[in-house]
Amino acid sequence: MKLFIKSVFTIAIASLVSCGGPAEKKESTNKGALAGSAAEKVYVKPGEHDSHYAFISGGFSGQLSVYGLPSGRLFRVIPVFSQDPEKGYGYSEETKPMLNTSHGLIPWGDSHHPDISQTNGSVDGRWVFINENNTPRIARISLETFETEEIIEIPNSAGNHSSSYVTENSEYVVAGTRFAVPFPQRDMPISEMKGNFKGALTFLSVDPEKGDMDIAFQIKMPGFNYDKAHPGRNASSDWFFFTTYNTEEANTLMEVNASQNDKDFIAAVNWKKVEEYVANGGGKKEPARYAHNKWNEEKHMAISEMKDEVLVVDPRDVPGAFYFLPTAKSPHGCDVDPTGEYIVGSGKLAAAMTIHSYSKMIKAIENKDFDGDAYGIPIINFEAVNYGVLNQPGLGPLHTEFDSRGNAYTTFFISSEVVKWNVKDLTVLDRHPVYYSVGHLMIPGGNSRTPDDKYLVAMNKITKDRYLPTGPEVCQSAQLFDISGDKMELLLDFPTIGEPHYAAGIAAEKIKAKSKKIFRLEDNEHPYAVKNEAETKVVRKGNEVHIYMSMIRSHFSPDNIEGVKVGDKVYFHVTNLEQDYDVPHGIAMIGAQTSELLIMPGRTTTFTWEPKQVGVWPFYCTDFCSALHQEMQGYVRVSAKGSNTPLKYTLDDEVPGEDDF
Ligand code: K7E
Ligand code: CUA
């Protein structure tokens, strides 16, 4: 075993060195003619639009970035799990509750797998779901506003990695635990892990109209590590598949101890059967503390609610719903082809990829062709479920996506390449190097029934010499391929934000037309909203000062405020009165311990300021909004604690404000 690991890593190092050399570079610059045609394929004329959106995970940035394909242009970084000063997310009073958890406000997250909602097995462009790995959470992002609308914490889970994947009609989003942990959490010796830790597979229901999520049930699986997941398609659509590793249930020196078994499993879960079982009163409510944070569209604010129980299902209570499929050691990727027949497990340490057959699985279950069980869950005989093995396609297989022509595309981390192979024949058709050490890849719709298969995006962990150096850390990157022909053609490199794990892509038509342009002022029910300048005011409540402020090109109302004192807590509740597309205003106050706020037309947002020093302190608009943007500014006069400066506020000197004492 040790020898094997050693040889894999020697090759890994060798391959890094060999593909990092300048020789490779020369070769690519020699292909002048090809480079010309590749340039045309990614060229989107100024003023024209890309054909596809790509939503690329921000990895340890915690965010989700939005790119255009084929240009590779970055349009937006959507803040999800991390505070974002650019947009005021996680700093404004309205968005802070979105980051609430049972551990308090968590300002950061590690996002891995975005997945677009589906209807009849095709991506429908309504929402993107994405997981947070570190403090287990699932987020839902609206593709009308491109804003995070909901975040739900996943209890009894740790390293929320086999997440977030949706079923064919977005009935459920799935969140599987990577770490086995005590379930429920408790104080116990780590050495007693085996048999005592559990692995939670959580199914979140999704409201078909509004998208609202809820934890429908949690399955208390044996304490393995559940690494990746994929729903079935077509005939297999009632099933969900999860790769597992560390079936050894080791808790120390994992790189060796979790690689002992020659085979680990893909867990097959019939979620329809579990759903039925739960609908008939099955499962047990168990205490669990987790936050459920939802954006309220009318009130323009997130509301966080703490929940205290989940419905837990013991797999042994639902016979016929759970099976283990033996799969080459320590598999990572778990992918199902568009027909739903082939289930691909990528054993990152194995020399072969395991391809299971759904129809064989069903037959084996009927014939009870089992090879024992693990904690009461039948293990299907390997031969009875295995469709075949793809031998030596490359080194370190991680993830697979599919086209609509029966081909699979698999990334190989160690040999730094994408390999195209035919799923039915198990023959390798093409291979292309990537630069370097690729993780996931994405074909728009490539994990659905209906791949939209012109482009493939490979997401690389290491870029070495591919970009201008920027100190010890160089950017991570995506590479765009044209896969419409027999051979893959590399078209473009573009840098990504954070570590690109997975991505989700979709035709622009499915999103473009319904993208929101403004928030209608008349629908704004924020308790501190103002609908026009006449409603602006300043109100004192003890040591709190509430400023009901408006902004419109190119002034704030009020713009001069007096009577604030050291020791006060000042709330700026600011409404952008604009009702025009693409006219946000910003606001920032000297000394405020928060970010600026960027406020969209028709929206109300709040930040707080606790002045520490007497003086006259300015605030200003942070977003260049008109020719008179520089004039969009104002002052707050701060007097000493206990002084009797009256509270007043003005827009111009002729309209003195009232004293609200
Ligand atoms: Cu392979 Cu988190 Cu999907 Cu990264 S994971 S590569
Ligand atoms: Cu408003 Cu600049």
Side-chain angles (χ1 to χ4, degrees):
M1 180 57 236
K2 268 193 187 144
L3 253 181
F4 176 67
I5 288 190
K6 212 169 152 198
S7 69
V8 165
F9 282 99
T10 315
I11 296 162
I13 289 159
S15 72
L16 273 180
V17 172
S18 74
C19 47
E24 203 83 33
K25 247 187 145 181
K26 265 197 206 111
E27 192 200 313
S28 67
T29 45
N30 281 343
K31 293 178 186 161
L34 193 74
S37 76
E40 269 167 33
K41 285 183 177 175
V42 300
Y43 184 65
V44 177
K45 263 194 216 148
E48 291 192 352
H49 288 169
D50 282 281
S51 63
H52 289 77
Y53 282 98
F55 298 93
I56 302 186
S57 150
F60 42 69
S61 82
Q63 318 294 47
L64 179 69
S65 36
V66 186
Y67 288 82
L69 299 182
S71 73
R73 295 181 294 188
L74 172 66
F75 300 141
R76 187 174 180 79
V77 175
I78 302 174
V80 186
F81 297 112
S82 297
Q83 289 178 319
D84 177 13
E86 185 195 349
K87 299 181 177 64
Y89 180 86
Y91 291 99
S92 72
E93 295 303 304
E94 289 79 2
T95 53
K96 274 188 204 161
M98 201 54 103
L99 300 179
N100 192 37
T101 71
S102 62
H103 309 271
L105 186 147
I106 303 286
W108 169 86
D110 181 14
S111 57
H112 281 235
H113 307 121
D115 204 13
I116 297 172
S117 54
Q118 298 197 4
T119 304
N120 297 324
S122 295
V123 289
D124 62 19
R126 295 198 292 168
W127 307 293
V128 183
F129 301 92
I130 189 164
N131 61 320
E132 206 278 272
N133 195 52
N134 181 55
T135 302
R137 286 171 283 172
I138 299 282
R140 179 175 56 83
I141 293 138
S142 157
L143 292 182
E144 284 180 16
T145 59
F146 286 65
E147 290 180 340
T148 303
E149 282 194 332
E150 191 174 9
I151 294 182
I152 190 162
E153 190 181 358
I154 312 296
N156 301 316
S157 204
N160 175 36
H161 197 256
S162 37
S163 326
S164 54
Y165 297 98
V166 299
T167 52
E168 285 205 325
N169 284 294
S170 308
E171 296 96 336
Y172 294 98
V173 177
V174 153
T177 193
R178 186 178 130 207
F179 301 110
V181 285
F183 178 166
Q185 271 294 358
R186 61 189 178 277
D187 177 11
M188 63 170 284
I190 300 169
S191 58
E192 290 169 21
M193 166 189 186
K194 201 165 185 158
N196 290 315
F197 286 14
K198 295 284 180 249
L201 303 181
T202 306
F203 282 68
L204 300 123
S205 58
V206 179
D207 182 89
E209 293 304 314
K210 304 271 289 177
D212 293 349
M213 302 183 290
D214 234 323
I215 296 183
F217 50 85
Q218 272 199 317
I219 302 161
K220 201 184 253 188
M221 294 289 280
F224 309 149
N225 292 16
Y226 297 83
D227 203 15
K228 285 284 278 111
H230 203 290
R233 298 286 171 226
N234 292 298
S236 59
S237 63
D238 292 355
W239 294 79
F240 229 104
F241 301 93
F242 298 83
T243 41
T244 70
Y245 67 102
N246 195 23
T247 51
E248 297 85 352
E249 295 179 79
N251 59 279
T252 182
L253 263 184
M254 299 287 285
E255 59 190 305
V256 174
N257 293 335
S259 307
Q260 295 302 311
N261 294 347
D262 186 47
K263 291 202 166 54
D264 292 286
F265 302 126
I266 285 178
V269 176
N270 188 319
W271 58 265
K272 265 273 157 85
K273 282 212 161 109
V274 182
E275 183 183 60
E276 252 172 56
Y277 168 76
V278 163
N280 292 324
K284 206 173 98 202
K285 291 246 162 91
E286 288 188 19
R289 238 172 84 77
Y290 61 99
H292 188 177
N293 313 326
K294 237 189 254 185
W295 186 255
N296 182 306
E297 222 176 288
E298 292 73 37
K299 294 198 164 128
H300 292 221
M301 59 177 73
I303 294 166
S304 177
E305 197 188 335
M306 287 305 294
K307 302 254 172 107
D308 53 19
E309 59 178 22
V310 279
L311 186 66
V312 176
V313 173
D314 184 327
R316 289 165 301 193
D317 293 341
V318 197
F322 298 90
Y323 299 93
F324 285 129
L325 325 181
T327 300
K329 97 165 43 216
S330 302
H332 183 58
C334 183
D335 298 287
V336 179
D337 87 309
T339 69
E341 169 62 11
Y342 304 100
I343 303 144
V344 179
S346 302
K348 56 194 187 279
L349 295 178
M353 289 171 64
T354 309
I355 295 100
H356 291 311
S357 150
Y358 173 70
S359 45
K360 280 185 84 173
M361 178 184 97
I362 294 301
K363 212 175 267 158
I365 292 170
E366 280 168 13
N367 298 340
K368 295 203 171 14
D369 201 344
F370 302 143
D371 188 6
D373 72 285
Y375 296 102
I377 296 174
I379 300 168
I380 300 180
N381 208 317
F382 178 78
E383 295 303 332
V385 67
N386 186 248
Y387 176 75
V389 158
L390 194 57
N391 267 314
Q392 301 280 19
L395 287 169
L398 289 187
H399 300 287
T400 300
E401 293 255 299
F402 303 89
D403 67 17
S404 57
R405 294 162 274 141
N407 301 310
Y409 300 78
T410 301
T411 54
F412 291 84
F413 179 82
I414 296 173
S415 51
S416 282
E417 58 187 335
V418 174
V419 172
K420 174 182 177 181
W421 51 283
N422 184 281
V423 186
K424 229 179 172 166
D425 310 342
L426 300 180
T427 48
V428 170
L429 302 172
D430 187 23
R431 58 177 67 236
H432 201 297
V434 288
Y435 306 94
Y436 309 96
S437 301
V438 60
H440 277 272
L441 75 176
M442 179 274 281
I443 294 170
N447 72 349
S448 74
R449 266 196 217 179
T450 53
D452 173 2
D453 48 17
K454 186 166 169 48
Y455 300 115
L456 179 156
V457 179
M459 286 159 280
N460 307 320
K461 308 293 187 189
I462 294 170
T463 51
K464 300 261 179 204
D465 56 356
R466 299 295 285 186
Y467 295 93
L468 285 175
T470 50
E473 199 211 356
V474 279
C475 61
Q476 314 208 16
S477 124
Q479 292 191 293
L480 182 76
F481 289 85
D482 180 340
I483 56 164
S484 55
D486 286 343
K487 297 282 168 195
M488 295 179 273
E489 185 189 358
L490 176 58
L491 301 179
L492 182 72
D493 283 18
F494 59 95
T496 60
I497 309 281
E499 182 185 355
H501 286 272
Y502 193 38
I506 185 168
E509 282 67 49
K510 292 192 178 178
I511 292 181
K512 224 163 127 170
K514 56 179 190 162
S515 183
K516 199 151 187 124
K517 294 205 158 56
I518 58 161
F519 299 100
R520 286 154 44 102
L521 258 185
E522 60 259 49
D523 298 337
N524 181 339
E525 290 172 21
H526 190 294
Y528 290 95
V530 293
K531 302 296 172 81
N532 53 60
E533 282 180 11
E535 290 177 18
T536 60
K537 60 184 174 180
V538 182
V539 176
R540 175 178 283 282
K541 278 188 200 149
N543 73 334
E544 285 184 1
V545 175
H546 292 270
I547 305 172
Y548 296 66
M549 185 178 270
S550 68
M551 53 192 358
I552 195 161
R553 280 163 289 181
S554 298
H555 59 269
F556 296 97
S557 173
D559 65 358
N560 277 223
I561 298 153
E562 300 196 0
V564 169
K565 294 168 211 170
V566 171
D568 282 345
K569 186 167 186 179
V570 183
Y571 289 80
F572 287 78
H573 306 285
V574 192
T575 303
N576 181 348
L577 296 178
E578 306 281 357
Q579 292 286 273
D580 270 350
Y581 184 35
D582 200 18
V583 191
H585 294 280
I587 183 168
M589 178 78 220
I590 187 171
Q593 290 177 319
T594 180
S595 73
E596 57 101 40
L597 300 183
L598 189 66
I599 305 175
M600 297 304 126
R603 178 160 276 175
T604 304
T605 312
T606 303
F607 76 96
T608 60
W609 176 54
E610 296 177 53
K612 305 279 190 303
Q613 302 173 36
V614 299
V616 176
W617 306 104
F619 56 89
Y620 69 97
C621 175
T622 49
D623 185 41
F624 210 108
C625 50
S626 75
L628 293 170
H629 154 79
Q630 288 297 78
E631 282 73 10
M632 195 162 170
Q633 63 187 64
Y635 289 108
V636 178
R637 174 183 167 191
V638 177
S639 305
K641 201 171 190 153
S643 71
N644 53 12
T645 313
L647 190 68
K648 44 179 216 182
Y649 50 94
T650 62
L651 174 56
D652 59 62
D653 286 337
E654 288 163 35
V655 192
E658 299 140 25
D659 202 332
D660 261 291
F661 281 113

